[in-house]
Structure formats: structure tokens, C-alpha cells
């Protein structure tokens, strides 16, 4: 069952974002929490198959239109660190909000949960339509720097509230797409503010939008490797890996160590009373079949045997001798 869930998760991410490698790593890192070869093979096959089918029907176009960007200079490293701290703090707030809403809403019937979520998102959408839907168009505009800093940060906050409500009240939907939206708008807004405050550095807001996407995904889902791989596959830009590694690590540590928050998936399971425990003993047991660990060091014997038969019986030094009588042990 765990392998099937991991395969479907990898396939879904690979087909949705055209990121087969990120889908595999996310599945192993978050769902299966296992890097054994036996886990890799079926997950990789699922991700490749889903990507082939998706490309056959939808084409091989990138999800986001991302120009080649890189740090203007090493003077931007402190800004990347600050963005990591901001992303980790926002991710922790995201997780805490989901936890609190889920705790209050779990006593409601599912119909009331859906209605409350629908009304809340409708009101938010009337005020700020960009929070509706998956938001890829908004992310693309943020990447080319067409929004103002104030509007970008407002969209990040509104999308965070909208996604928290939907996730906590059991509305079917994803968390990776919204985390991209929140991170991109936060990063682009941060980039625009830094341009106003530090005009001489040559800051590209789109670069910080991409870094924000990766940081928010890594911190809220506690999947740093998957976030980095998704960043590389989505941008096709190896120059972004160094700042990406820094921002993802800082954001993840801020959410998990500074604020003590677990992955959003684990938080949702615990909020529903479905605590998913994972430790090395359970992982080892899951990889074992019953037949492989059975004690097979035994011999069968009739109740009455000769001395010669007894010597022959003990030649293999069995730990057990099963006495049979009337064809029964």
C-alpha cells in the first residue's frame, strides 16, 4: 500500500509540473521516507510513465515561463538569507493556521465544512481574484516582475489564508501549487522592496520569486531535496542551485527548529487523528516479507525412530525437531 501511494504521488507531481525527478524525490522524502533501491524502481517507473502520457497529450511546454536569472553579486547572499527566514516564518504560520482551523472544523459535518470553505474563498475572491484557482498565470507575471511589491505581498497573505481554510476543511486540492504561489509572490514582493532600498546591487525580482517558490515548498512540506530538484527542473538554470540550497535550508530550519513545526502533511494527518509514525524499525519491517524471516531450521520426525535415523536427523544440527503422528505435528 505504501509503495502504491508513493508511486501515485510521484506520478501526479511529475505529470502536473513536468518535473519527473522532483516527483520521485518528493515521494521518497515525504511519503515513503525510504531511499532503498526497492522503493526507487517502482516510483521512478510511475513518474516516467506519467510524464510520457502527460507530454503526449499536453506537450512538453514548461509550466512557468522563466528567463535565465542569477545573483548579480555575492552582496545578495544576505538578502537570500533574509528571504529564507521570511519564507520559513510564513511556512510555520501556514502550518499553524491549518492546524488551528482543522482542530475547530473537525467536529462539523463535511457539508458544513465545504460550505464554510466555499463562502470564505468566495469572499476572498471578490476582494482579490488572484487567489482563485491554481494561480500559474499570477506566478508567471510575478516572475517577470509586473506586479507592485504591495500587491504581491497582499496576494501571498490572501493565498495563505485561502489555502489554509481549504486544506483544513477537507476541500480536495493540492498544497504544492499553492506553496509555489505563496513563495513566488513573497519572493517577488521582497525583491521589489530590495530594489527600492538597495538600487545599486542590480536585483532581479524574478530570481527571488523562484527562490521563494522553492523555499516555501521546502519549508511547509519539509521536503528540501524535492524543492531544490523542482527549482532546477522548472527553471532549467543550474546557476540558481547555490542560492536555492541556501534559501531552502534556512527556510526549512526556521519552520522546523525555530517554530517547531512538522510537515504540513503530517500536521493534517495528526489533525484528523491519523498519526503517521515512521522510524527505522518500522521501515525495516516494511521491507521484510514474512517468508524471508521465518525460522526454517527444523526437521520432521516420526515419534519412534532407530539410532541410525536419529544420527541422520541430527546431521544438519536442527534447532527444532517437529514430531509428527498420524500426519499431524
Amino acid at each position: 500500500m505504501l509503495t502504491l501511494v508513493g508511486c501515485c504521488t510521484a506520478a501526479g507531481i511529475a505529470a502536473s509540473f513536468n518535473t519527473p525527478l522532483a516527483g520521485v524525490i518528493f515521494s521518497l522524502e515525504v511519503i515513503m521516507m525510504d531511499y532503498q533501491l526497492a522503493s526507487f524502481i517502482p516510483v521512478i517507473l510511475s513518474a516516467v510513465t506519467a510524464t510520457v502520457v502527460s507530454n503526449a497529450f499536453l506537450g512538453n511546454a514548461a509550466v512557468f515561463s522563466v528567463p535565465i536569472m542569477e545573483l548579480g553579486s555575492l552582496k545578495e547572499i544576505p538578502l537570500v538569507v533574509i528571504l529564507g527566514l521570511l519564507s520559513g516564518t510564513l511556512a510555520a504560520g501556514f502550518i499553524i493556521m491549518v492546524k488551528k482551523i482543522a482542530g475547530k472544523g473537525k467536529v462539523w459535518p463535511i457539508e458544513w465544512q465545504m460550505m464554510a470553505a466555499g463562502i470564505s474563498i468566495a469572499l476572498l475572491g471578490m476582494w482579490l481574484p488572484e487567489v482563485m484557482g491554481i494561480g500559474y498565470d499570477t506566478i508567471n507575471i510575478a516572475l517577470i516582475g509586473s506586479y507592485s511589491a504591495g500587491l504581491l505581498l497582499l496576494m501571498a497573505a490572501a493565498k495563505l489564508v485561502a489555502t489554509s481554510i481549504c486544506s483544513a476543511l477537507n476541500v480536495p486540492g493540492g498544497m504544492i501549487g499553492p506553496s509555489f504561489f505563496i513563495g513566488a509572490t513573497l519572493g517577488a514582493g521582497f525583491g521589489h522592496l530590495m530594489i527600492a532600498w538597495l538600487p545599486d546591487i542590480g536585483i532581479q525580482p524574478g530570481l527571488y520569486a523562484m527562490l521563494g517558490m522553492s523555499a516555501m515548498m521546502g519549508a511547509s512540506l519539509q521536503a528540501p531535496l524535492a524543492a531544490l530538484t523542482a527549482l532546477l527542473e522548472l527553471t532549467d538554470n543550474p546557476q540558481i542551485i547555490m542560492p536555492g540550497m541556501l534559501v531552502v535550508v534556512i527556510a526549512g530550519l526556521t519552520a522546523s527548529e525555530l517554530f517547531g513545526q512538522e510537515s504540513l502533511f503530517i500536521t493534517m494527518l495528526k489533525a484528523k487523528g491519523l498519526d503517521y509514525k515512521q522510524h527505522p524499525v518500522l521501515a525495516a519491517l516494511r521491507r521484510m516479507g514474512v517468508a524471508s524471516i521465518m525460522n526454517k531450521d527444523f526437521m520432521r520426525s516420526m515419534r519412534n525412530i532407530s539410532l541410525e535415523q536419529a544420527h541422520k536427523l541430527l546431521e544438519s544440527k536442527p534447532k527444532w525437531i517437529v514430531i509428527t503422528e498420524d500426519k499431524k505435528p
Side-chain angles (χ1 to χ4, degrees), residues 25-318:
I25 294 177
F26 181 87
S27 176
L28 297 173
E29 191 173 29
V30 177
I31 305 299
M32 303 181 71
M33 300 184 187
D34 185 8
Y35 293 97
Q36 297 293 320
L37 183 62
S39 303
F40 262 106
I41 293 174
V43 172
I44 289 173
L45 289 174
S46 297
V48 170
T49 305
T51 305
V52 169
V53 173
S54 175
N55 290 348
F57 284 94
L58 304 176
N60 195 26
V63 176
F64 304 118
S65 300
V66 183
I68 298 298
M69 299 180 186
E70 60 184 358
L71 290 178
S73 70
L74 293 179
K75 294 179 181 178
E76 293 187 59
I77 291 295
L79 301 183
V80 174
V81 172
I82 294 171
L83 179 60
L85 292 169
L86 291 174
S87 301
T89 302
L90 194 64
F94 185 18
I95 296 166
I96 291 169
M97 189 178 297
V98 169
K99 192 186 303 183
K100 289 188 174 181
I101 297 173
K104 293 182 180 297
K106 67 181 179 181
V107 297
W108 300 350
I110 189 65
E111 295 85 357
W112 285 97
Q113 292 185 38
M114 294 290 172
M115 186 170 69
I119 293 172
S120 301
I121 305 309
L123 293 174
L124 279 170
M126 289 172 61
W127 171 58
L128 196 64
E130 287 85 356
V131 304
M132 304 290 286
I134 198 164
Y136 286 172
D137 52 344
T138 304
I139 294 174
N140 276 319
I141 296 173
L143 288 170
I144 60 176
S146 297
Y147 285 122
S148 66
L151 182 58
L152 285 163
L153 297 176
L154 188 62
M155 287 192 293
K159 188 70 170 182
L160 185 144
V161 172
T163 308
S164 299
I165 292 171
C166 288
S167 300
L169 296 181
N170 294 306
V171 176
M175 295 177 186
I176 297 176
S179 70
F180 280 163
F181 183 104
I182 297 167
T185 49
L186 172 68
F190 176 80
H192 281 291
L193 288 177
M194 292 302 104
I195 288 177
W197 294 343
L198 303 168
D200 299 329
I201 296 182
I203 293 171
Q204 295 177 295
L207 173 70
Y208 288 88
M210 291 187 288
L211 293 177
M213 289 167 58
S214 184
M216 194 68 191
M217 176 185 172
S220 59
L221 305 177
Q222 287 298 303
L225 288 177
L228 280 171
T229 309
L231 179 66
L232 180 59
E233 287 188 298
L234 288 171
T235 62
D236 195 22
N237 181 12
Q239 300 298 324
I240 203 172
I241 288 300
M242 187 275 288
M245 292 170 69
L246 181 61
V247 76
V248 165
V249 168
I250 292 174
L253 289 175
T254 301
S256 63
E257 301 304 320
L258 188 59
F259 291 96
Q261 298 303 310
E262 297 180 291
S263 161
L264 194 55
F265 286 113
I266 302 298
T267 299
M268 288 298 299
L269 287 172
K270 287 186 175 180
K272 297 174 183 178
L274 302 171
D275 190 3
Y276 178 62
K277 296 178 180 178
Q278 174 75 353
H279 52 76
V281 174
L282 282 178
L285 289 174
R286 285 196 184 104
R287 290 193 293 268
M288 292 180 184
V290 174
S292 66
I293 59 171
M294 279 183 173
N295 187 346
K296 303 175 183 178
D297 193 9
F298 69 94
M299 299 290 291
R300 295 180 180 273
S301 174
M302 301 299 294
R303 180 181 295 273
N304 299 311
I305 58 175
S306 66
L307 183 61
E308 184 182 352
Q309 290 173 320
H311 280 299
K312 188 175 181 180
L313 183 67
L314 296 175
E315 280 179 358
S316 59
K317 298 182 180 179

